[in-house]
């Protein structure tokens, strides 16, 4: 599973527009699907409803979901509260047992117009969750991406065929399935026509895109087709990818195509080969280091982020030291750190567990290492002139996705800025 988790980790992101409120926890794909659900709910005529899109990536994510639902009921005692997402798909009974919850719908059902028509007509079942493994198609055609003035996120893939020992997400998302290239290109073309300057491709296991399509095209083939057929697209970015599945075409595009943004978020998870083996990952420590070196040689301005898990079962001090060292060995600038949380029904939950205090302490050390790595990367940018895509209120991102504050920048515009320093976790710049 390589879906990029929101910067806020699993904290809820609420969007209370009108009488339909969406509350999203977890990954950017959930944000995409929350927008699709809003559209379906509006089309069905629903009102005074709260749609809670849950995450199951960790036990903490599930706890946050339950807490969020209770808070939503207190704030809106008369609203229809509908719970969906990965946690609801995996354990619908737990959410159905909560007195605050009116309806529970599965990850496949939340993409169906008929689900929301039934909700609006008061004819829906209290729990509507079917076998996610039977789903064969994505719902990528439902909306033209989740967008703001700066960028749009476009779903190209859903589900995962891999079975990492710590991960419950395949049981919430189902097997891998791809949005056909023609649909993706058409969607991006419409977004560009609306003036969107940057598109981000997203999915659960995005580098598996195409394996279920005729001819088994690769993600590189899709990216090449997008860049060729949508020549007015200014910037294309990938969300999170599996390091072992970057095909030759995709590598070449990163090296040669300026419209490909020089930033990759890698699903690494750990820095010790023994732990990677016990996680059932398909790469080694050396694979990650060599990939980063190859990409950096081809594209010197590229920046890397990664997911790392602290406190995986059987992790020794030496194993943990390998993860700390990996930050420098790969040259990571952006870290998402997860303290290990055993998920029921996964093999890792049956392995010898570390005590919670050790897990918490190691996660804190790894986060501190990440903050040091980010500061070092930011310092390396001071004095340079960079292209910045302004998001809002004078805040934006470099091509590398590093955040920067530039007074005077207008949302949705591309500007040139001179990086002058850093403060409060951000780079600081001025119009060049």
């Amino acid at each position: 599973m390589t879906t990029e988790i929101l910067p806020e980790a699993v904290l809820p992101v609420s969007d209370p527009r009108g009488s339909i409120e969406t509350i999203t926890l977890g990954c950017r794909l959930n944000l995409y699907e929350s927008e699709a659900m809003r559209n379906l709910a509006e089309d069905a005529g629903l009102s005074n409803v709260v749609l809670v899109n849950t995450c199951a990536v960790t036990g903490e994510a599930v706890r946050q979901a339950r807490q969020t639902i209770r808070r939503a009921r207190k704030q809106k005692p008369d609203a229809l509260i509908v719970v969906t997402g990965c946690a609801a798909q995996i354990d619908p009974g737990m959410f159905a047992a909560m007195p605050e919850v009116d309806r529970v719908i599965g990850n496949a059902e939340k993409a169906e117009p008929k689900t929301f028509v039934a909700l609006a007509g008061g004819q829906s079942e209290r729990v509507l969750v079917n076998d996610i493994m039977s789903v064969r198609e994505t719902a990528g055609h439902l909306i033209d991406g989740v967008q703001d003035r700066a960028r749009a996120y476009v779903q190209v893939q859903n589900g995962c065929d891999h079975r990492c020992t710590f991960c419950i997400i395949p049981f919430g998302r189902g097997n891998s399935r791809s949005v056909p290239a023609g649909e993706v290109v058409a969607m991006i073309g419409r977004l560009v026509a609306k003036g969107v300057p940057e598109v981000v491709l997203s999915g659960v296991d995005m580098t598996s895109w195409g394996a279920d399509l005729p001819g088994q095209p690769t993600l590189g083939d899709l990216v090449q087709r997008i860049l060729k057929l949508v020549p007015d697209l200014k910037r294309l970015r990938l969300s999170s990818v599996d390091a072992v599945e970057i095909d030759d075409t995709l590598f070449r595009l990163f090296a040669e195509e300026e419209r490909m943004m020089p930033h990759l978020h890698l699903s690494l998870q750990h820095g010790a080969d023994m732990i990677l083996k016990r996680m059932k990952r398909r790469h080694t420590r050396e694979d990650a280091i060599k990939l980063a070196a190859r990409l950096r040689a081809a594209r010197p301005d590229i920046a890397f982020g990664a997911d790392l898990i602290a406190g995986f079962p059987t992790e020794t001090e030496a194993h943990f030291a390998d993860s700390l060292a990996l930050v420098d060995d790969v040259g990571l600038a952006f870290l998402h750190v997860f303290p290990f949380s055993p998920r029921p029904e996964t093999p890792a939950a049956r392995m010898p567990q570390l005590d919670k205090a050790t897990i918490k302490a190691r996660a804190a050390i790894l986060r501190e290492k990440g903050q040091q790595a980010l500061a070092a990367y930011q310092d390396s940018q001071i004095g340079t002139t960079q292209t910045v895509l302004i998001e809002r209120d004078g805040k934006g991102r470099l091509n590398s996705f590093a955040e920067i504050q530039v007074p005077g920048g207008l949302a949705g515009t591309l500007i040139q800025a001179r990086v002058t320093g850093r403060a409060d976790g951000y780079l600081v710049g001025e119009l060049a």
Side-chain angles (χ1 to χ4, degrees):
M1 193 276 292
T2 60
T3 302
E4 186 179 4
I5 305 299
L6 295 170
E8 300 83 2
V10 294
L11 298 180
V13 177
S14 178
D15 185 353
R17 284 177 280 160
S19 64
I20 300 173
E21 178 177 3
T22 60
I23 303 178
T24 307
L25 298 99
C27 63
R28 295 194 182 278
L29 189 56
N30 262 8
L31 270 182
Y32 182 102
E33 292 169 341
S34 289
E35 188 70 10
M37 286 194 294
R38 175 189 295 282
N39 291 349
L40 293 173
E42 289 175 346
D43 291 345
L46 269 171
S47 62
N48 193 26
V49 62
V50 179
L51 304 170
V52 183
N53 204 359
T54 64
C55 173
V57 69
T58 63
E60 173 62 17
V62 177
R63 189 192 70 80
Q64 282 279 353
R66 291 170 61 85
Q67 185 181 65
T68 297
I69 292 164
R70 295 189 185 101
R71 186 182 302 119
R73 176 56 75 202
K74 288 180 180 178
Q75 294 173 346
K76 294 191 174 181
D78 299 326
L80 179 73
I81 294 186
V82 180
V83 179
T84 185
C86 288
Q89 176 70 43
I90 292 165
D91 194 352
M94 178 181 68
F95 291 100
M98 294 180 66
E100 297 87 356
V101 174
D102 295 305
R103 299 288 188 275
V104 180
I105 59 176
N107 266 340
E109 290 72 27
K110 73 181 182 185
E112 294 287 341
K114 64 182 180 182
T115 300
F116 295 87
V117 171
L119 283 169
Q123 302 168 333
S124 64
E125 302 174 41
R126 177 167 167 76
V127 178
L128 185 61
V129 179
N130 292 324
D131 179 11
I132 195 68
M133 294 301 176
S134 67
V135 179
R136 294 290 178 265
E137 295 181 353
T138 61
H141 60 284
L142 289 177
I143 59 170
D144 280 346
V146 172
Q147 65 184 89
D148 51 29
R149 296 181 189 177
R151 64 179 55 83
Y153 291 84
V154 172
Q155 178 188 1
V156 302
Q157 182 273 341
N158 204 340
C160 185
D161 291 338
H162 308 301
R163 296 296 181 264
C164 298
T165 59
F166 58 85
C167 188
I168 196 72
I169 297 305
F171 302 99
R173 288 284 177 180
N175 293 318
S176 180
R177 48 208 190 273
S178 309
V179 180
E183 288 188 27
V184 175
V185 169
M187 186 184 302
I188 293 174
R190 292 192 294 270
L191 288 165
V192 171
K194 294 177 183 177
V196 173
E198 179 176 296
V199 167
V200 184
L201 304 185
S202 64
V204 174
D205 182 30
M206 198 163 57
T207 40
S208 70
W209 181 89
D212 58 322
L213 296 176
Q216 296 187 321
T218 65
L219 180 62
D221 295 331
L222 174 64
V223 170
Q224 182 171 254
R225 187 167 176 178
I226 292 168
L227 293 170
K228 179 180 179 180
L229 298 181
V230 192
D232 293 332
L233 173 63
K234 295 178 181 178
R235 299 153 67 91
L236 184 64
R237 192 182 296 277
L238 305 183
S239 56
S240 182
V241 299
D242 195 317
V244 298
E245 291 184 332
I246 295 179
D247 60 89
D248 292 342
T249 299
L250 186 57
F251 186 95
R252 177 178 57 79
L253 291 170
F254 265 108
E256 300 174 359
E257 177 56 70
E258 290 187 359
R259 290 186 292 163
M260 283 292 295
M261 292 296 95
H263 167 250
L264 269 182
H265 190 85
L266 302 171
S267 178
L268 298 183
Q269 309 305 345
H270 211 275
D273 284 339
M274 180 58 73
I275 298 298
L276 289 170
K277 184 176 181 180
R278 289 170 181 164
M279 286 179 166
K280 211 173 179 181
R281 300 294 294 167
R282 290 163 298 128
H283 71 274
T284 65
R285 172 192 181 84
E286 191 62 23
D287 290 336
I289 295 170
K290 286 183 177 178
L291 172 68
R294 284 183 64 219
L295 281 165
R296 194 171 278 115
R299 187 81 179 261
D301 59 339
I302 197 166
F304 297 103
D307 299 324
L308 289 174
I309 295 174
F312 187 82
T314 76
E315 180 188 77
T316 65
E317 288 287 354
H319 294 148
F320 178 63
D322 282 343
S323 278
L324 283 174
L326 189 71
V327 178
D328 294 326
D329 293 343
V330 172
L332 299 174
F334 313 103
L335 259 63
H336 287 172
V337 176
F338 297 87
F340 176 76
S341 175
R343 305 299 289 120
E345 309 303 324
T346 61
R350 299 189 293 272
M351 296 179 184
Q353 305 291 307
L354 274 62
D355 65 89
K356 292 183 179 180
T358 298
I359 295 172
K360 183 177 180 180
R362 289 180 181 175
I365 293 169
L366 198 51
R367 288 192 181 103
E368 175 62 26
K369 180 68 175 178
Q371 291 171 359
Q372 293 170 4
L374 175 60
Y377 174 77
Q378 291 172 330
D379 287 343
S380 74
Q381 303 303 299
I382 295 174
T384 65
T385 298
Q386 301 275 351
T387 300
V388 177
L389 176 57
I390 298 296
E391 296 173 335
R392 64 189 183 282
D393 303 328
K395 295 179 181 179
R397 293 183 187 268
L398 309 185
N399 291 354
S400 67
F401 216 54
E403 295 178 291
I404 186 170
Q405 295 177 324
V406 185
L410 298 177
T413 61
L414 288 165
I415 64 169
Q416 293 296 304
R418 183 173 177 273
V419 183
T420 58
R422 62 179 171 93
D424 301 323
Y426 291 89
L427 286 168
V428 178
E430 59 187 16
L431 292 173

